[in-house]
């Protein structure tokens, strides 16, 4: 086209415009092959070259002629157009040829696909037959596919999961064999052909194969005619499996095992056989005919098989340079023989050692003084020592005849060597139960001849019983005498007033008696065996004024020159005086004795002082008693007498004031006379010259007399006296006058402290060892500080009392009660009243005077 830009023309030639169609595609490479594109390019170049030459020739000719001439551009456009048209023509030709070839290939491909589809339909038809089922594993990661079916009578389930669980529909042996074969097929590519049996009893053939991409297992149902052969094949498989198992077991045994043919040559041996004959492996041992037994042993086996099929004997052979003993068993059959050898060298060694040990034990037991008899599981006597024969005095022939245990017991009984039992049969059965026992049994037999036998029945692990008869007669006699001596010694030491302690050479206490601990104030934890003398020293040194335990320890733990007899005295802090003695004993022991001589020392000291003071004391007491008796009692008697005379109407009339004064004089004189009498009584008691008039004391009469003496005072203060004597005895032994005086003082003391209009209770009751009197008042009670001094003389108490006395009432009560050999105690509390309790022993032998 005139005026068109050459670059645009170039782009049009390259086929960029849509109108180029097939030509543009051919030029640009479209869908043509590389061969078509190359041919098109060459053809275009071949057509364009002459056209371009023709254009150049025409342009040159036009230049010579005078007519109109073509421009260069027009010539170029014409040349391009002619080239493009030529290229388009060639491309069309190439495309037509390519399409013809492609159509032929597509026709061939469709033919092949049709053949594959036909083959697939034929394969599916074959696989879907009812007499087979195929399991296909496409890859390791995919689940298997099942194709085809099996008849119902085969017992195979239609369910996919149930079918693959072989153990659920196959016999156990078939399922195990199939699972093992499938695992070997999938892992190692090992093909297999098996005949299996379902639980329904139907035999099936199974074939396993592996290709490059698939694993296939095919199950094929068999016809009726094939099943008998299949069952025979199954049985052969079982036998083959059993044979392999048996061979594997024999090969694993540590006992040499072999099989021989009818010609006597080796057919098979196990690993133990090969090791024993030092062969590289069992096959080499068979190939080289290496024999385990020597020729003489093999000849003996062959000779034995001529008469018996089984050979059993212990033979010797050399293994590794050492001669060993083997228990050989060889069995001959129609097809050859089989043998097995068990190494018994260790057993033979142990048996020999056992026999030597038994002989050694028998020799040892024969030297014992204890009788021993061993019976086997049949209760037969198998061994006895000389002590057994000597103990029972049985003849040797009878014992060597292996009598049973029951017969031996019967013979001992018939010969009078066993004590007669009330029920002999039951006693014997109980004794023989040791053969059925697990633990040892122990019995004690007291024989008619005075012997005491300890019988021990010890069951043996392999059966039988070992009987041990220990004669303990002398031992028990010695032990009895020793125990008696120990008890006598212990009782003697424990009841001694003298303290005894024995120390060993190591300074530890061996024995001591209670008196030793009591004298030194030691507790039971200290005065016990194995306590060291230093511990006792530390405690006793605190109680002794002169501390003699330093020398005691030196004497106990010192050398022989320090071990000598020692005697002396020591005084304790509490004033007691102990006399001690140290006596060395054999075996380095030391005995110490302590005697309490406090009384003797005190008496000795007091005798001198008392001898000097006796005369003065007696003189003072006599003068005091005489002075009080005559100097005090005589004026008081006169005062009381004249007072009573003044109170009489016959003496003359007195006014009211005078009568009151006379009454006060009389009462004061009576109180003073009572105090004087109390002082005289106490002085008499202290002087030890008071005597009790012991007789039958009537309880009711004595209580009534004492109550009458305080009746006026009770009435004066509106106080009631309640007497409780229901549990009291009628009489008891004592001084009735002093008992009445005791009760009077107790009631007077109670009236003095009892509240107005209250009640005083006087009780009396019989005790196991005497009579008890008690007087209770509801007074203010006694505080603890008053109780400490309540029995002291001349210490009156004013805590709530109406009258202040001389403080002699309870002192006289205590003195008179103790003079009777009794005791006094007070039970009181603040604001809880007071009870004074006096106990009198009801014994005729009451001491006559106080000390």
């Amino acid at each position: 086209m005139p005026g068109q830009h050459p670059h645009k023309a170039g782009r049009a030639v390259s086929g960029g415009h849509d109108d180029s169609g097939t030509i543009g595609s051919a030029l640009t490479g479209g869908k043509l092959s590389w061969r078509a594109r190359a041919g098109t390019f060459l053809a275009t170049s071949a057509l364009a070259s002459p056209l371009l030459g023709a254009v150049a020739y025409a342009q040159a000719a036009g230049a010579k002629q005078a007519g109109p001439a073509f421009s260069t551009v027009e010539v170029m456009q014409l040349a391009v157009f002619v080239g493009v048209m030529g290229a388009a023509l060639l491309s069309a030709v190439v495309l037509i040829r390519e399409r013809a070839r492609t159509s032929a290939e597509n026709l061939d491909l469709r033919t092949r696909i049709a053949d594959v589809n036909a083959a697939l339909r034929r394969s599916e038809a074959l696989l879907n037959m009812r007499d087979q089922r195929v399991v296909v594993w496409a890859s390791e990661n995919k689940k298997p596919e099942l194709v085809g079916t099996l008849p119902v009578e085969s017992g195979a389930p239609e369910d996919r999961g149930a079918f693959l669980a072989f153990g659920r529909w196959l016999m156990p042996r078939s399922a195990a064999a199939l699972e093992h074969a499938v695992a070997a097929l999938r892992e190692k590519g090992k093909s297999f052909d098996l005949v299996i049996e379902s639980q329904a009893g139907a035999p099936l053939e199974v074939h396993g194969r592996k290709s490059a991409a698939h694993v296939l297992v095919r199950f094929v149902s068999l016809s009726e005619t094939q099943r008998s052969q299949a069952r025979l094949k199954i049985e052969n498989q079982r036998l083959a499996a059993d044979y392999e198992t048996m061979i594997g077991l024999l090969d694993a045994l540590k006992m040499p095992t072999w099989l021989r043919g009818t010609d006597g040559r080796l057919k098979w041996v196990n690993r133990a056989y090969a090791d024993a004959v030092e062969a590289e492996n069992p096959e080499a041992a068979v190939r080289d005919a290496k024999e385990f037994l020597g020729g003489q042993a093999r000849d003996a086996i062959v000779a034995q098989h001529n008469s018996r099929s089984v050979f059993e004997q212990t033979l010797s052979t050399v293994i590794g340079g050492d001669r060993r003993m083997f228990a050989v068993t060889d069995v001959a059959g129609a097809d050859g023989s089989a043998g097995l050898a068990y190494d018994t060298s260790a057993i033979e060694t142990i048996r020999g050692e056992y026999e030597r040990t038994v002989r050694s034990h028998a020799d040892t037991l024969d030297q014992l003084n204890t009788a021993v008899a061993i019976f086997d599981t049949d209760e037969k006597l198998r061994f006895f020592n000389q002590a057994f024969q000597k103990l029972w005095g049985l003849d040797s022939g009878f014992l060597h005849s292996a009598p049973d245990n029951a017969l031996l017991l019967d013979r001992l009984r018939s010969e009078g060597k066993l004590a007669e039992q009330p029920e002999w049969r039951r006693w014997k059965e109980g004794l023989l139960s040791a053969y059925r026992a697990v633990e040892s049994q122990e019995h004690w037999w007291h024989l008619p001849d005075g012997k005491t036998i300890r019988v021990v029945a010890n069951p043996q692990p392999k059966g039988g019983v070992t009987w041990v008869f220990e004669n303990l007669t002398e031992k028990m006699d010695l032990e009895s005498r020793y125990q008696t001596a120990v008890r006598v010694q212990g009782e003697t030491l424990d009841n001694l007033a003298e303290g005894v302690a024995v120390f060993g050479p190591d300074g530890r206490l061996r024995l001591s008696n209670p008196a030793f601990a009591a004298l030194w104030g030691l507790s039971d934890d200290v005065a016990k065996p194995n306590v060291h003398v230093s511990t006792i020293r530390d405690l006793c040194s605190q109680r002794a004024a002169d501390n003699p335990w330093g020398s005691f320890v030196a004497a106990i733990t010192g050398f022989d020159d320090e071990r000598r007899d020692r005697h002396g005295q020591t005084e304790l802090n509490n004033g007691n005086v102990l006399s001690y003695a140290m006596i060395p004993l054999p075996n380095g022991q030391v005995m110490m004795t302590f005697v309490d001589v406090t009384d003797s020392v005190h008496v000795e000291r007091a005798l001198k002082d008392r001898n000097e003071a006796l005369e003065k004391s007696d003189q003072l007491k006599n003068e005091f008693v005489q002075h009080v008796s005559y100097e005090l009692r005589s004026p008081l008697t006169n005062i009381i007498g004249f007072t009573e005379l003044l109170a009489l109407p016959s003496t003359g009339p007195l006014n009211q004031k005078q009568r009151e004064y006379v009454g006060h004089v009389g009462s004061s004189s009576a109180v003073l006379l009572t105090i004087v009498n109390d002082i005289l009584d106490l002085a008499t008691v202290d002087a030890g010259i008071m005597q009790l008039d012991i007789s039958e004391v009537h309880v009711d009469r004595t209580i009534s007399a004492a109550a009458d003496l305080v009746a006026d005072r009770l009435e004066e203060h509106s106080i009631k006296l309640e007497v409780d004597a229901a549990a009291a005895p009628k009489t008891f032994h004592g001084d009735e006058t002093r008992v009445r005086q005791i009760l009077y003082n107790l009631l007077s003391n109670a009236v003095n402290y009892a509240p107005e209009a209250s009640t005083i209770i006087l009780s009396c009751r019989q005790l196991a060892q005497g009579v008890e009197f008690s007087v209770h008042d509801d007074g203010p009670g006694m505080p603890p500080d008053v109780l400490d001094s309540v029995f002291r003389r001349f210490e009156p108490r004013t805590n709530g009392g109406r009258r202040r006395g001389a403080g002699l009432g309870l002192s006289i009560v205590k003195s008179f009660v103790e003079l009777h050999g009794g005791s006094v105690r007070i039970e009181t509390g603040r604001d809880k009243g007071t009870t004074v309790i006096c106990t009198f022993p009801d014994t005729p032998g009451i001491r006559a005077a106080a000390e």
Side-chain angles (χ1 to χ4, degrees):
M1 294 177 60
Q4 188 176 3
H5 198 275
H7 294 288
K8 292 181 180 181
R11 281 196 298 268
V13 173
S14 63
H17 197 271
D18 293 337
D19 293 339
S20 60
T22 305
I23 299 173
S25 298
L27 293 176
T28 57
K31 295 182 179 180
L32 297 179
S33 63
W34 66 274
R35 293 180 179 178
R37 290 194 297 269
T40 303
F41 175 76
L42 293 176
T44 304
S45 301
L47 290 175
S49 297
L51 285 177
L52 291 175
V55 170
Y57 177 77
Q59 192 173 14
K64 294 179 178 183
Q65 292 177 4
F70 294 97
S71 65
T72 304
V73 175
E74 290 176 348
V75 173
M76 289 297 296
Q77 289 177 350
L78 179 61
V80 169
F81 176 76
V82 173
V84 170
M85 291 300 295
L89 180 61
L90 291 178
S91 298
V93 174
V94 171
L95 286 176
I96 291 172
R97 291 182 178 179
E98 184 69 21
R99 286 183 178 180
R101 188 179 61 81
T102 303
S103 298
E105 291 180 355
N106 290 339
L107 179 61
D108 182 59
L109 179 61
R110 283 194 297 270
T111 303
R112 291 183 180 179
I113 291 175
D115 293 341
V116 169
N117 289 334
L120 180 61
R121 284 192 296 271
R122 286 195 303 272
S123 299
E124 289 179 354
L126 291 174
L127 292 176
N128 288 327
M129 294 177 65
R130 293 185 56 82
D131 61 346
Q132 67 179 356
R133 198 165 193 180
V134 180
V135 182
V136 180
W137 283 272
S139 64
E140 294 295 334
N141 298 327
K142 291 184 179 180
K143 294 183 178 180
E145 297 182 2
L146 270 69
V147 183
T149 59
L150 290 172
V152 177
E153 59 270 14
S154 67
E158 292 299 325
D159 181 71
R160 176 179 177 274
F163 181 83
L164 293 176
F166 301 133
R168 295 175 58 183
W169 63 280
L170 295 178
M171 297 298 288
R173 184 187 293 269
S174 296
L178 180 58
E179 289 177 355
H180 180 73
V182 170
L185 174 64
R186 298 185 63 187
E187 295 174 2
K188 302 178 181 179
K190 185 178 180 180
S191 303
F192 66 87
D193 296 292
L194 295 177
V195 177
I196 61 175
E197 186 177 9
S198 67
Q199 294 183 1
L204 300 171
E205 283 187 356
V206 184
H207 307 282
R209 299 292 184 271
K210 184 175 183 180
S211 64
H214 297 84
V215 174
L216 297 95
V217 176
R218 179 189 177 200
F219 296 81
V220 181
S221 177
L222 302 178
S223 63
E224 291 294 334
T225 57
Q226 295 174 332
R227 289 186 179 182
S228 58
Q229 297 178 356
R231 288 191 179 93
L232 180 60
K233 189 174 182 180
I234 291 174
E235 188 64 27
N236 291 335
Q237 290 179 176
R238 290 177 182 174
L239 294 176
D242 293 341
Y243 176 78
E244 290 181 0
T245 302
M246 183 62 66
I247 292 298
L249 174 63
L250 294 177
D251 198 48
L253 286 178
K254 299 300 181 182
M255 297 178 287
T257 308
W258 60 88
L259 296 176
R260 297 181 184 274
T262 55
D263 56 354
R265 296 178 61 85
L266 291 174
K267 294 173 57 179
W268 177 89
V269 297
N270 65 349
R271 171 59 60 181
Y273 186 102
D275 294 340
V277 298
E278 299 180 357
E280 182 180 356
N281 51 50
E283 291 76 11
V286 173
R287 183 184 65 250
D288 299 338
K290 290 190 175 182
E291 294 292 345
F292 173 73
L293 299 174
Q296 187 176 359
R298 296 198 304 275
D299 294 340
I301 294 174
V302 173
Q304 181 71 29
H305 285 331
N306 293 330
S307 58
R308 292 177 56 188
S309 60
V310 179
F311 173 86
E312 290 181 326
Q313 191 174 338
T314 300
L315 302 175
S316 65
T317 186
V318 177
I319 303 296
D322 296 330
R323 182 162 293 277
R324 312 283 290 274
M325 300 299 296
F326 286 85
V328 178
T329 301
D330 195 278
V331 180
D335 297 329
S337 64
L340 181 145
Y342 176 69
D343 190 353
T344 61
S345 301
I347 297 176
E348 294 296 330
T349 302
I350 294 174
R351 180 182 290 110
E353 185 65 26
Y354 171 74
E355 292 176 354
R356 289 190 295 272
T357 302
V358 168
R359 286 195 298 270
S360 175
H361 288 178
D363 295 339
T364 302
L365 293 175
D366 232 8
Q367 304 300 321
L368 294 179
N369 292 326
T370 302
V372 179
I374 301 177
F375 291 80
D376 59 11
T377 55
D378 297 329
E379 302 183 14
K380 298 288 186 180
L381 180 62
R382 294 305 178 190
F383 172 81
F384 63 91
N385 61 353
Q386 295 181 3
F388 179 82
Q389 183 178 3
K390 181 180 179 181
L391 174 65
W392 300 113
L394 299 173
D395 59 277
S396 178
F398 172 73
L399 295 176
H400 283 96
S401 64
D404 60 14
N405 208 337
L407 178 61
L408 180 62
L409 292 175
D410 291 336
R411 178 159 180 173
L412 293 176
R413 178 196 180 195
S414 62
E415 294 181 0
K417 296 178 181 179
L418 289 180
E420 194 63 35
Q421 302 295 329
E423 297 183 9
W424 170 257
R425 185 181 299 276
R426 181 175 298 177
W427 179 84
K428 185 171 66 173
E429 290 177 355
L431 196 65
L432 297 179
S433 64
Y435 288 92
R436 299 179 298 276
V438 178
E439 301 293 336
S440 299
Q441 298 180 1
E442 183 176 340
H443 308 275
W444 289 85
W445 291 358
H446 301 282
L447 305 184
D449 57 359
K451 295 180 181 178
T452 300
I453 306 297
R454 176 175 174 264
V455 181
V456 179
N458 185 25
Q460 298 300 319
K462 294 184 179 181
V465 175
T466 299
W467 295 88
V468 179
F469 303 88
E470 187 176 2
N471 189 353
L472 300 179
T473 306
E474 295 182 1
K475 179 180 178 182
M476 294 188 66
D477 182 51
L478 291 174
E479 185 175 356
S480 176
R481 285 188 288 174
Y482 172 76
Q483 293 295 338
T484 302
V486 169
R487 286 195 299 269
V488 171
Q489 180 185 11
E491 292 294 333
T492 302
L493 290 175
D494 290 345
N495 290 280
L496 285 177
E498 182 180 7
V500 178
V502 178
F503 293 89
D506 56 354
R508 297 189 179 276
L509 185 65
R510 290 289 183 265
L511 61 90
S512 64
N513 63 347
F516 171 75
L519 290 175
W520 287 99
L522 300 176
S523 62
D524 294 339
D525 294 337
V526 176
K528 64 180 181 181
N530 292 325
V531 175
H532 199 267
V533 66
S534 59
T535 304
I536 300 176
R537 176 198 60 193
D538 296 339
L539 296 175
C540 294
S541 297
Q542 303 172 4
R543 298 178 174 88
D546 52 355
N547 189 14
W549 278 92
S551 60
F552 292 169
V553 173
I556 291 171
T557 60
F559 296 102
D560 292 340
D561 56 346
E562 299 179 2
R563 292 168 47 82
R564 60 181 182 274
D565 293 352
R566 297 187 182 186
H567 300 274
Q569 286 187 354
T570 181
E571 185 172 355
L572 305 184
N573 295 332
N574 59 5
N576 293 340
V577 179
L578 302 180
S579 175
Y580 64 85
M582 299 186 65
I583 304 171
L585 299 177
N587 298 327
Q589 301 184 95
V590 176
M591 180 179 69
M592 300 183 64
T593 60
F594 298 89
V595 181
D596 189 354
V597 295
T598 305
D599 294 339
S600 300
V601 173
H602 287 180
V603 167
E604 182 180 355
R605 294 174 181 175
L607 280 177
K608 297 179 181 179
D609 298 337
R610 192 168 186 178
N611 287 334
E612 296 175 357
L614 272 179
E615 295 181 359
K616 294 181 180 181
S617 177
D618 291 340
Q619 184 178 357
L620 289 175
K621 287 181 181 179
N622 292 335
E623 289 177 356
F624 176 77
V625 173
Q626 182 180 4
H627 181 75
V628 171
S629 177
Y630 291 101
E631 299 298 332
L632 292 178
R633 295 184 67 176
S634 297
L636 284 175
T637 303
N638 292 334
I639 294 172
I640 293 172
F642 286 124
T643 303
E644 291 177 353
L645 288 175
L646 288 175
L648 292 176
S650 60
T651 305
L654 298 175
N655 56 31
Q656 183 65 30
K657 199 69 173 177
Q658 291 173 340
R659 288 185 180 278
E660 290 181 2
Y661 290 159
V662 170
H664 287 310
V665 171
S667 61
S668 298
S669 300
V671 172
L672 182 57
L673 181 60
T674 301
I675 294 174
V676 172
N677 290 334
D678 289 344
I679 293 174
L680 289 174
D681 289 339
L682 290 174
T684 305
V685 172
D686 291 342
I689 59 177
M690 177 174 282
Q691 294 182 355
L692 297 178
D693 185 10
I694 302 301
S695 62
E696 292 288 335
V697 179
H698 296 273
V699 176
D700 294 340
R701 186 173 63 190
T702 303
I703 292 176
S704 178
D708 291 341
L709 293 176
V710 296
D712 295 338
R713 295 181 62 187
L714 293 173
E715 184 178 358
E716 178 182 357
H717 302 289
S718 301
I719 300 174
K720 295 181 181 181
L721 177 62
E722 180 180 337
V723 179
D724 182 10
K730 292 182 178 181
T731 62
F732 70 96
H733 291 84
D735 189 335
E736 186 172 353
T737 302
R738 300 304 178 187
V739 173
R740 184 172 62 249
Q741 188 175 355
I742 291 170
L743 295 179
Y744 167 74
N745 286 339
L746 293 178
L747 291 174
S748 298
N749 185 72
V751 171
N752 190 37
Y753 291 97
E756 296 284 341
S758 62
T759 301
I760 296 175
I761 301 175
L762 172 60
S763 302
C764 181
R765 60 173 181 165
Q766 177 73 54
L767 298 179
Q769 298 178 352
V771 181
E772 179 184 275
F773 290 91
S774 63
V775 177
H776 174 77
D777 65 82
D778 294 331
M782 296 183 184
D785 56 339
V786 175
L787 282 176
D788 296 338
S789 61
V790 69
F791 293 112
R792 295 177 185 174
R793 301 173 186 177
F794 304 106
E795 291 190 10
R797 292 162 296 281
T798 59
N799 55 328
R802 296 184 179 87
R803 297 181 180 179
R804 180 181 176 86
L808 298 176
L810 292 179
S811 299
I812 292 175
V813 168
K814 186 175 185 297
S815 298
F816 286 171
V817 170
E818 291 179 350
L819 197 61
H820 281 78
S823 62
V824 181
R825 71 179 189 275
I826 297 177
E827 296 179 355
T828 182
R830 187 178 297 274
D831 300 331
K832 292 184 179 180
T834 303
T835 303
V836 183
I837 303 171
C838 302
T839 304
F840 296 88
D842 189 12
T843 55
I846 299 175
R847 53 197 174 101
E851 297 180 358

